[in-house]
Amino acid sequence: MRQAELIFIPTPGIGHLVSTLEFAKCLIDRDDRLLITILSMKFPFTPLADAYTRSLTASQARIQLIELPQVDPPPAELLNSVEGYISVFIERNIPNVKRCLTKIVSSNSNSGSARVAVLVLDFFCLSMIDVGRELGLPSYLFLTSNAGFLGLMLYLPSRHNQMNIEFSDSDPALLIPGFVNPVPPVVMPSAVFNKDGGYTAYIKLAQRFRDTKGIIVNTFTELEQHALGSFPDGQTPPVYAVGPVLDLKGQPHPGLDQAQHDNIMKWLDFQPPSSVVFLCFGSMGSFGATQVKEIATGLERSGHRFLWSLRMPPSPSPDNILPEGFLERIEGRGMICGEWAPQVEVLAHKAVGGFVSHCGWNSILESLWHGVPILTWPIYAEQQLNAFKMVRELGLAMEMRLDYRSGGDLVMAEEIERAVRRLMDGGIEVRKKVKEMGEMARKAVMDGGSSFTSIGQLMEDMIGSS
Ligand code: UDP
């Protein structure tokens, strides 16, 4: 029987690792011809990533983890564009990746096994296609975002060839394959506006999509039918919709100890069904002190029960941030948890009836899976685009903001109060659609479902049927 070694190279941020590592596990469970190697890069700002990768791969007999040596971090001044910074970090890892892959290839050929080896690259690692080529390894992309984002990335190189300039807020709305409606520039990822690094980094990555052997996307046909139908254009490699790929157990985190976890779950156990609004803004979302105060006031005035994962800004001290007497007044009906919430478990709890989310793609899939409607509050990366798709195209989320960005205008307490009321008291149509889509998500990954079938096709294309 022909065996295959899939070498996954994820970007070490939690939002990328969750689905990548779960997908690796899912493949192992599906096909015993597979061995998986994960190359783990050490990113300076994500200590959690190492622990998470180790814990997820530890008990898997056919997954081996190779931790690459630490590289010098990129200069701090590049941090004005996260995408530019990550791209430089990835480039610095290439020599280590190459050494490691060379060893793997030579040990596979010395062992005389007819083992096929394939690279499965994260979006930010696409420049490693060239290393793969030198060593005769084909590259697949595992896209942790959705098919709409894929449409944007496939579109960017042609726009760049025509205009050679970053986006501007005053650009007209654009017709982008993968989106039903014209996309206004205000919902584009921040990187495409940033001429110092972000735009260039994005274009470089976008130019490599068509050099892959296939594009694996964490989405499912029933959710993104239109987008997935717009790619067989003769130029795009095969696209495999394999999702939702979720970590339904949730991630360990140093900011969440067992006692805190138990407190949260116990508190939820005492709340009536669908009565709690949950607020959580991803692995990196946070607000300044003034915005935190507005959120607190808005929640208090909404009269609804809430669980708020509050990542405190570094200063001033947390005690001075919340309105005076707030904690006493909300006692019993509101709970604030530290900077990390057991999000998946919270969304699965029957007490939770709504989710104020930054619209990271994992968070969206998790909330759909559990049938909890989202109120959109995007902050960074491609979250505005996700929010736009969910609200305007799919009718699967309620709008608070589509175009908010990190450091953007204040969202005032009145707006938050009104939006939370709309989410919790109204939105019957959205709530119904979300529940139906959650059921379709579960079917998609079951034997015979659309994503299950697509994974089967992917494996045949990677390994062949021999
Ligand atoms: N997450 C969590 N607790 C938190 C914040 C995030 O468990 O307090 C998890 C969340 O469930 C999701 C991931 O971290 O699986 C975040 O991924 P997403 O794509 O939503 O956002 P990102 O962090 O990449 O912006």
Side-chain angles (χ1 to χ4, degrees):
M1 188 175 66
R2 204 164 186 208
Q3 276 200 321
E5 177 167 10
L6 307 187
I7 303 157
F8 277 70
I9 313 187
T11 297
I14 205 72
H16 288 243
L17 285 171
V18 174
S19 54
T20 309
L21 299 183
E22 283 302 318
F23 186 57
K25 279 167 46 185
C26 155
L27 291 181
I28 287 284
D29 291 343
R30 271 292 285 274
D31 195 321
D32 50 19
R33 295 174 297 175
L34 291 181
L35 300 171
I36 288 184
T37 299
I38 313 270
L39 301 196
S40 169
M41 295 180 271
K42 289 189 192 317
F43 195 54
F45 301 119
T46 51
L48 164 67
D50 283 351
Y52 180 63
T53 309
R54 273 187 222 127
S55 78
L56 268 189
T57 49
S59 52
Q60 306 289 325
R62 281 186 288 130
I63 299 188
Q64 89 164 306
L65 174 65
I66 299 180
E67 299 194 30
L68 297 173
Q70 181 101 45
V71 296
D72 287 338
E77 56 270 25
L78 290 183
L79 274 171
N80 70 350
S81 152
V82 176
E83 292 77 9
Y85 186 92
I86 296 176
S87 296
V88 173
F89 164 76
I90 299 291
E91 292 305 310
R92 291 190 173 188
N93 273 277
I94 285 184
N96 291 330
V97 168
K98 189 168 175 184
R99 258 190 297 278
C100 191
L101 293 179
T102 308
K103 251 196 219 159
I104 294 174
V105 169
S106 86
S107 89
N108 279 356
S109 63
N110 290 342
S111 72
S113 67
R115 195 182 279 170
V116 182
V118 172
L119 295 184
V120 182
L121 302 174
D122 183 73
F123 159 67
F124 282 112
C125 301
L126 281 178
S127 61
M128 293 178 188
I129 290 174
D130 295 331
V131 180
R133 275 191 182 150
E134 278 179 49
L135 297 167
L137 305 173
S139 293
Y140 285 75
L141 163 64
F142 182 77
L143 190 63
T144 54
S145 191
N146 56 30
F149 182 72
L150 171 59
L152 172 65
M153 295 312 281
L154 293 171
Y155 162 81
L156 281 183
S158 54
R159 179 190 176 277
H160 181 70
N161 290 343
Q162 282 165 17
M163 304 173 72
N164 193 6
I165 188 162
E166 69 277 5
F167 285 71
S168 136
D169 272 345
S170 56
D171 289 347
L174 289 165
L175 279 172
I176 297 178
F179 287 86
V180 173
N181 304 308
V183 183
V186 285
V187 301
M188 292 287 184
S190 309
V192 303
F193 300 96
N194 181 339
K195 66 171 178 290
D196 305 326
Y199 176 74
T200 314
Y202 251 46
I203 294 295
K204 272 194 182 159
L205 293 169
Q207 283 165 336
R208 302 311 305 265
F209 274 54
R210 290 197 166 100
D211 296 337
T212 60
K213 193 111 197 282
I215 300 175
I216 309 161
V217 193
N218 189 12
T219 189
F220 54 106
T221 312
E222 293 75 1
L223 178 62
E224 291 200 87
Q225 201 123 34
H226 170 82
L228 291 163
S230 47
F231 304 132
D233 53 7
Q235 296 174 333
T236 306
V239 174
Y240 306 88
V242 299
V245 183
L246 305 172
D247 172 8
L248 292 171
K249 288 201 293 297
Q251 302 88 49
H253 190 278
L256 177 71
D257 59 26
Q258 193 57 41
Q260 198 187 358
H261 167 276
D262 295 349
N263 264 347
I264 295 169
M265 300 318 288
K266 205 152 81 198
W267 184 79
L268 285 174
D269 286 345
F270 281 104
Q271 309 308 317
S274 302
S275 67
V276 175
V277 56
F278 173 50
L279 294 89
C280 190
F281 300 93
S283 55
M284 296 191 296
S286 67
F287 298 105
T290 323
Q291 183 63 76
V292 168
K293 223 172 225 154
E294 294 297 323
I295 297 175
T297 309
L299 284 175
E300 187 179 348
R301 289 192 197 148
S302 77
H304 281 283
R305 292 164 203 268
F306 63 86
L307 172 64
W308 179 11
S309 173
L310 173 56
R311 189 164 294 132
M312 294 285 188
S315 64
S317 101
D319 299 345
N320 301 332
I321 288 181
L322 294 166
E324 214 181 314
F326 173 78
L327 291 174
E328 293 78 52
R329 290 193 300 278
I330 55 112
E331 205 182 335
R333 83 168 170 91
M335 181 171 187
I336 293 187
C337 59
E339 69 160 47
W340 195 259
Q343 178 168 304
V344 182
E345 279 178 83
V346 169
L347 290 171
H349 199 287
K350 63 179 185 341
V352 174
F355 180 21
V356 181
S357 169
H358 76 314
C359 299
W361 189 238
N362 294 294
S363 295
I364 288 177
L365 291 176
E366 289 160 4
S367 72
L368 286 177
W369 183 269
H370 290 296
V372 179
I374 278 181
L375 183 66
T376 57
W377 193 332
I379 306 179
Y380 53 92
E382 87 295 10
Q383 293 148 16
Q384 294 78 11
L385 203 60
N386 295 344
F388 174 74
K389 183 176 258 281
M390 289 293 286
V391 171
R392 293 286 162 82
E393 185 171 319
L394 303 175
L396 285 169
M398 296 178 72
E399 175 173 347
M400 180 151 73
R401 289 288 173 98
L402 299 181
D403 59 354
Y404 182 89
R405 280 178 206 283
S406 194
D409 289 346
L410 269 188
V411 183
M412 303 306 287
E414 295 73 44
E415 185 179 348
I416 298 166
E417 174 192 344
R418 263 185 280 120
V420 167
R421 286 209 173 123
R422 259 192 302 122
L423 172 72
M424 299 302 283
D425 300 332
I428 295 167
E429 193 51 34
V430 173
R431 196 168 289 274
K432 184 168 157 265
K433 279 183 84 170
V434 167
K435 290 251 184 279
E436 285 166 1
M437 192 51 77
E439 278 157 30
M440 287 190 237
R442 287 161 193 254
K443 283 196 186 133
V445 293
M446 277 160 52
D447 195 345
S450 60
S451 295
F452 186 93
T453 307
S454 183
I455 293 175
Q457 184 62 55
L458 168 70
M459 289 192 300
E460 290 312 315
D461 293 350
M462 277 178 164
I463 315 174
S465 47
S466 52

